[in-house]
Amino acid sequence: MTEVNGQDGPRLTSQTAQDICGAVTRGEESATSVCQAFLERIAKVNPTLNAFTTVAADAALEQAAAIDRNRSALADLPLAGVPIAIKDNLCTRGLPTTASSRILAGFVPPYDATVVARLRAAGAVIIGKTNCDEFAMGSSTENSALGPTRNPWALDRIPGGSSGGSAAAVAARLVPLALGSETGGSVRQPAALCGIVGLKPTYGRVSRYGLLAFGSSLDQVGPLTRVVRDAALLMRILSGSDPMDATSATEPVPDYVAALTGDVRGVRIGVPRRLLDAGVDPEVLARVDEAIAALRDRGASVTDVELPHARYAIPVYYLVATAEASSNLARYDGVRYGYRAPLDEHADLAAMYDRTRDTGFGAEVKRRIMLGTYVLSAGYYEAYYLKAQQVRTLIRRDYERAFAHLDVMLLPTSPTRPFRLGERVNDPLQMYLADVFTVSANLAGIPGVSVPCGFTRDRLPVGLQILGRPFDEATVLRVGDAYERATGWAQEVPPALVS
Ligand code: GLN
């Protein structure tokens, strides 16, 4: 067993992105030495965690060297020399992008996703691609064609999903920053289960160009970090309109870092208490209640709030998301990208499609394509898809009503602690139900962050979820940061990792 913080005191790999950028900008560290330190730690720890699908050592060192050669430009780079990991469903020019699916084996995009291009322009170093549930469909990272990722706090447990590789990498200090994507909780939930910070932005806040689409009306890219301040820093870089994504918003981008005042006096907090009555792990609920009390002690007001349609969120989400997925995934046909099934000489075009999709997609992805095709088919469309869209509007209105007299809403991110690898793989419904507290933010399009709020008795991390008004990431981050400062959970380190 190797301690994450060794005898040599606080390591480079334990510092925040802001500190690393400061050290590089001041010339105390070179981007190259930072990159090498993280690559060494990845080489040591990743074989145990399986957080990365690709470690881009050569490309990262080249990028770092280019930053070191151009020192006069550093002052303008908000992430100068800071390594970042990118979920493998975001396109990276020259680096494999597979969404952890066999069907994209060998696909190397000729372009960067807009978020990746923005990171490069900010001086960040793309150090690799991270493991996820195939096409971001799942809550445990077990649906990856490349094997599951392990939770750094308990190696026999799941890191959450679908951005489990990104969350585990940040928690284990393999990178200070990572990008994930959300359709129904895939940034917030793994952040909670790995004891780090994960933000889902308002729909449209961040460009989706170059994100492999799952549910286009739900998808957003979001940051995973160890401290709220780094999430704010990233949001300033990622946010803003993009001509390549017609759904990206033109809303001005505030200074999210400046919003972190540490002050929550007068903040109006709502707690959907009735939702928490059943099915929540009592230790998870206890930690969240302590967090709510801590914010009340610092001057926030707390009231109960009703979300009358919240109990429909899971069925609505699994109708809308699968319908959109069945359409989005039609493009993987063995012709245009990645994998094509080996064929015998009699195979015609239909057989080629058939075999490629049958052997290229994993079981969960095929289950969703079938569900989605069913709910969109003639005769069922009105009863399922249309009805789901109508209820989605009711869910959104619940939030609009609630936020008319609230600033944020607090609840657990996940109803349970991280479960054991393999425990739920044969029970998809049980897996879907674990998304109960996250999917409605995606249906309503509102922002939410998960911040660490302590541990269960068996030392597994618990996440506090803070939801906010559309385009009010600033308040969500301010409350998260104030809570983080008051508690110091961000300093906790996974106790041991097999070397
Ligand atoms: N767990 C949810 C699902 O399986 C959410 C996934 C996501 O947000 N990408 O669909």
Side-chain angles (χ1 to χ4, degrees), residues 136-139 162 181-186 214 317-318 368 435:
M137 296 177 189
S139 312
S162 63
S181 73
E182 274 254 359
T183 307
S186 279
F214 164 8
Y317 169 80
Y318 278 95
R368 305 241 184 154
D435 300 332

Side-chain angles (χ1 to χ4, degrees), residues 45-67:
V45 177
N46 188 57
T48 305
L49 293 181
N50 194 32
F52 281 84
T53 54
T54 302
V55 178
D58 293 345
L61 286 167
E62 263 173 47
Q63 242 190 298
I67 291 168

Side-chain angles (χ1 to χ4, degrees), residues 75-416:
D76 299 326
L77 300 180
L79 288 177
V82 181
I84 187 163
I86 309 289
K87 187 177 182 179
D88 205 25
N89 64 350
L90 282 159
C91 286
T92 40
R93 184 167 31 85
L95 294 180
T97 298
T98 70
S100 295
S101 180
R102 187 175 184 206
I103 211 157
L104 277 172
F107 174 58
V108 178
Y111 69 102
D112 276 330
T114 295
V115 285
V116 173
R118 287 189 185 202
L119 288 171
R120 289 193 206 272
V125 171
I126 313 297
I127 208 162
K129 304 297 291 288
T130 47
N131 200 16
C132 56
D133 287 297
E134 185 177 1
F135 284 102
M137 296 177 189
S139 312
S140 69
T141 316
E142 293 170 293
N143 299 333
S144 164
L146 299 133
T149 296
R150 293 173 184 275
N151 189 315
W153 293 92
L155 297 175
D156 59 340
R157 290 179 187 262
I158 57 113
S162 63
S163 313
S166 291
V170 171
R173 276 65 175 161
L174 308 192
V175 270
L177 306 172
L179 288 191
S181 73
E182 274 254 359
T183 307
S186 279
V187 168
R188 287 164 289 159
Q189 185 257 21
L193 301 188
C194 287
I196 61 162
V197 175
L199 176 86
K200 174 225 172 288
T202 308
Y203 185 77
R205 177 72 299 181
V206 174
S207 168
R208 293 181 295 116
Y209 178 68
L211 168 66
L212 305 185
F214 164 8
S216 304
S217 74
L218 304 157
D219 295 343
Q220 270 292 286
V221 176
L224 293 115
T225 62
R226 287 203 319 276
V227 293
V228 173
R229 183 162 293 265
D230 280 353
L233 187 62
L234 264 180
M235 278 304 289
R236 216 164 59 178
I237 294 158
L238 302 175
S239 302
S241 71
D242 174 14
M244 302 303 280
D245 175 4
T247 65
S248 67
T250 52
E251 205 85 7
V253 179
D255 185 341
Y256 296 116
V257 178
L260 308 180
T261 58
D263 189 1
V264 290
R265 280 172 301 173
V267 169
R268 296 163 303 169
I269 293 174
V271 179
R273 187 57 65 184
R274 206 189 288 262
L275 270 189
L276 314 181
D277 275 353
V280 182
D281 179 326
E283 286 191 64
V284 168
L285 195 53
R287 293 299 90 77
V288 168
D289 278 332
E290 287 157 16
I292 294 168
L295 285 162
R296 187 195 277 124
D297 288 348
R298 278 162 186 78
S301 67
V302 181
T303 51
D304 282 2
V305 60
E306 295 291 330
L307 295 169
H309 301 91
R311 64 201 162 106
Y312 302 116
I314 292 274
V316 168
Y317 169 80
Y318 278 95
L319 291 168
V320 173
T322 56
E324 294 183 6
S326 74
S327 159
N328 275 324
L329 270 57
R331 74 191 70 174
Y332 304 106
D333 56 5
V335 175
R336 283 171 285 190
Y337 323 86
Y339 165 83
R340 177 184 295 174
L343 300 168
D344 64 52
E345 61 200 275
H346 305 296
D348 58 10
L349 183 64
M352 192 281 284
Y353 290 154
D354 208 58
R355 273 194 61 75
T356 297
R357 287 170 69 82
D358 186 29
T359 54
F361 288 131
E364 181 60 26
V365 172
K366 285 190 272 190
R367 181 180 295 124
R368 305 241 184 154
I369 292 173
M370 284 189 278
L371 275 170
T373 306
Y374 179 79
V375 307
L376 288 176
S377 57
Y380 297 103
Y381 178 90
E382 285 79 8
Y384 294 109
Y385 186 67
L386 199 64
K387 185 64 79 186
Q389 290 291 22
Q390 289 164 340
V391 182
R392 179 181 186 171
T393 302
L394 299 176
I395 290 170
R396 205 188 57 236
R397 285 196 194 135
D398 281 356
Y399 282 104
E400 278 167 14
R401 255 179 232 122
F403 281 120
H405 57 89
L406 292 176
D407 299 306
V408 292
M409 217 178 276
L410 301 187
L411 69 166
T413 308
S414 162
T416 69

